[in-house]
Amino acid sequence: MKIFKAAEYGIVPGAECAEKLSVLSGELALTDEEKTLVFEKGEYFIDTDKLPQEKFFITNTVGDGEWKKGETPHLNRAGISLKGVKNLVVEGGGARFVLRGQACNAALRDCKRVTLKDVAFDSEAPDMHELKVVRRGAFYIDYAVDKYSTLQKICGKWFFVGKGYSALVTFGRPAGWIGKVTAKDENCIKRVNHPLTGAFAMSMPQKDIFRAHYVFTPLYKKKDTFCLFDVRRKYNGIFAENCEEIVFEGVEQNFNYGLALVCQMCDGVTVRGCRFAPRKGVRYMASVADFVQICMCRGTVVIENNYFEGSGDDGLNVHGIHFPVTKTDGKRITVKFAHPQSHGFDPFKKGDKLRIIDKNTLLEKGACTLVCSRITDEHMLELELDKEWDFGREAVIENASACPKVIYAGNTLERIITRGVLFTSAGASRIENNKFLHTSMHAIHISDDAENWFESGMVKNLRVSGNYFGKVNGAALSVKPENKKCGGVVHSGIVFENNTISANCGGCYVKDAQVKIKNNIVEGKPRKSRFVRGAKEV
């Protein structure tokens, strides 16, 4: 066992350490023997301008048409970056890394048997801002600007400014993406229109008070708070790609610019005892997008005993990818990444079992085995199969070997702007003993589509048990495949039992699926369950 002490590389509390972290990461990749990296407890600072830049192709992040003029698509960087590292335990010991500027908190690529333990990440004055209603006049509203944000008037327009950004107050997207925390319930957050929609003039009558002038003043209440952020997800929290047997234990993230944890093409992931939440009194949100996203992973994914609070999208999203077939040549076919936010990686391996899916019914119409694959450009892959197949014009490919078993247990979710769990995986899975306390959409949503997000696939074995569903603005369980045509049951083997559903929550909504519902406790009179087209209660 080899011990690496960060202090011996000049990485000590209270100091800036970006370049020294990069040097240390390179040293860790030189040996495959078992090793431990030890940090002293304290606060470390990372100047993101000093971090090396590389291209990261991260699922569900910046889309093809979202890059700004002058930006290099997919160019990225990470505070702690581990590549090709094996047999490592990072003992944070209470170390807290504060990023000055924009970057991913950490990245693990092509790593095996790596554990990241007892370490925290935050950003200094990030591009996340809050406007709180303090006064409503006849034709204006005064908003208090949070103390961590700086507003400046530049060329007649108001901008939030900070290290690495200068953001127009309206962020160029006036509708649909802003988070609102109401004065009535600060634990609930919803997507709303930008609070300055309809304002014809803006001013700062006093320090830290921003006044918006309206012809028709919105009916906001005092202490309503609006969370403003860039939704592009250029940088993220922790990115793990093509890793095996990785563990995140006792990791805290107080802020990230996109998805808090993305595991892409990984085999064996554990997330245990982590806290993804804002620091109290600093802001309401910790993540611009999902807290955890699992894409095209294998093996077993364990997410247990974590606390998630304040996300700009789902608490958990588990999915594969539907690949439309664009060309056939005997046993050789060409498939494409069809969604603009996901591409640039090869999630196939020799021997993978592939399902041939009818994109209209989302039902399997055949299967084959992969001989080899290669990525031809960012959006296209060439696959060689073990046999020829007449795909027709309505076929998509799903990788049945990249459908992990997921255990999501003992977690607490608060202030989730969309769904608690978005789940589409055929692996034998459990969602149990969690607390869904505040979600603005369904607590658990089972989807599957080959037209919009192209997130696959069929659920075949899922047990939802022992959960508590609190204030949920939607169903406790929603099973709704996005098939255009009913050809039969899409999802099956779903059991919903021994859960507690509060009066502030909907029941179950089921379409084109088979679900067993039994022994659940209902508090008060929640909305009734619905079974519609093609659905069966067994």
Side-chain angles (χ1 to χ4, degrees), residues 160-228:
F160 288 111
V161 295
K163 184 175 175 59
Y165 67 87
S166 176
L168 190 66
V169 171
T170 57
F171 283 84
R173 288 196 176 192
W177 292 97
I178 301 306
K180 179 185 178 183
V181 177
T182 65
K184 184 178 179 181
D185 186 357
E186 69 172 2
N187 289 317
C188 181
I189 186 168
K190 295 182 178 180
R191 279 182 178 168
V192 296
N193 288 345
H194 198 291
L196 304 184
T197 300
F200 64 85
M202 304 168 196
S203 60
M204 288 196 76
Q206 63 187 80
K207 187 177 185 298
D208 298 328
I209 296 296
F210 187 75
R211 177 170 290 181
H213 301 264
Y214 305 86
V215 175
F216 301 101
T217 309
L219 299 176
Y220 303 146
K221 292 182 171 54
K222 189 175 181 180
K223 294 187 177 180
D224 281 352
T225 301
F226 297 87
C227 306
L228 314 181

Side-chain angles (χ1 to χ4, degrees), residues 18-36:
E19 293 172 324
K20 294 172 182 176
L21 279 171
S22 298
V23 172
L24 177 54
S25 296
E27 290 287 324
L28 294 171
L30 294 178
T31 173
D32 290 346
E33 69 176 298
E34 292 189 1
K35 50 193 169 289
T36 300

Side-chain angles (χ1 to χ4, degrees), residues 130-135 142-145 223-226 284:
E130 293 180 355
L131 297 180
K132 179 179 288 188
V133 177
V134 293
R135 186 180 301 105
D142 283 347
Y143 300 93
V145 182
K223 294 187 177 180
D224 281 352
T225 301
F226 297 87
Y284 281 112

Side-chain angles (χ1 to χ4, degrees), residues 1 12 15 17 64 67 73-74 116 127 222 224 262 295 370 378 390 449 512 526:
M1 170 72 76
V12 294
C17 59
D64 291 330
W67 295 99
H74 309 291
L116 187 61
D127 194 6
K222 189 175 181 180
D224 281 352
V262 189
C295 175
L370 183 72
E378 286 185 16
D390 182 11
D449 85 276
D512 293 336

Side-chain angles (χ1 to χ4, degrees), residues 222-393:
K222 189 175 181 180
K223 294 187 177 180
D224 281 352
T225 301
F226 297 87
C227 306
L228 314 181
F229 49 87
D230 185 348
V231 302
R232 294 189 309 146
R233 312 173 184 184
K234 180 180 178 183
Y235 300 103
N236 294 273
I238 300 172
F239 174 47
E241 180 180 54
N242 198 33
C243 295
E244 296 180 18
E245 298 178 46
I246 54 172
V247 178
F248 303 96
E249 184 174 334
V251 174
E252 181 169 340
Q253 292 191 89
N254 301 129
F255 179 78
N256 68 272
Y257 281 100
L259 307 159
L261 171 61
V262 189
C263 295
Q264 180 174 290
M265 301 187 300
C266 293
D267 190 341
V269 177
T270 299
V271 184
R272 180 183 294 121
C274 296
R275 178 184 173 86
F276 296 171
R279 285 188 295 138
K280 294 296 182 183
V282 175
R283 63 182 67 89
Y284 281 112
M285 294 181 66
S287 182
V288 165
D290 303 355
F291 273 134
V292 180
Q293 181 143 160
I294 306 295
C295 175
M296 301 298 293
C297 289
R298 301 163 189 259
T300 300
V301 175
V302 178
I303 304 170
E304 61 183 11
N305 301 327
N306 304 288
Y307 181 74
F308 301 115
E309 177 193 315
S311 72
D313 214 324
D314 305 315
L316 168 68
N317 184 357
V318 181
H319 66 92
I321 295 176
H322 277 135
F323 293 89
V325 179
T326 63
K327 181 181 177 182
T328 61
D329 182 11
K331 295 180 182 180
R332 198 175 296 271
I333 66 172
T334 301
V335 300
K336 70 175 181 178
F337 287 96
H339 194 276
Q341 290 185 331
S342 297
H343 56 264
F345 53 93
D346 183 356
F348 296 95
K349 293 183 179 181
K350 181 180 179 180
D352 280 350
K353 304 300 180 184
L354 308 183
R355 295 191 186 101
I356 302 163
I357 304 294
D358 183 307
K359 72 174 187 179
N360 295 310
T361 64
L362 296 177
L363 298 180
E364 184 176 340
K365 61 180 186 178
C368 54
T369 301
L370 183 72
V371 175
C372 63
S373 69
R374 70 183 185 94
I375 186 165
T376 57
D377 61 41
E378 286 185 16
H379 298 86
M380 310 297 287
L381 298 114
E382 190 177 84
L383 310 181
E384 184 178 336
L385 311 177
D386 65 331
K387 59 186 177 182
E388 293 187 25
W389 186 271
D390 182 11
F391 292 93
R393 299 178 61 186

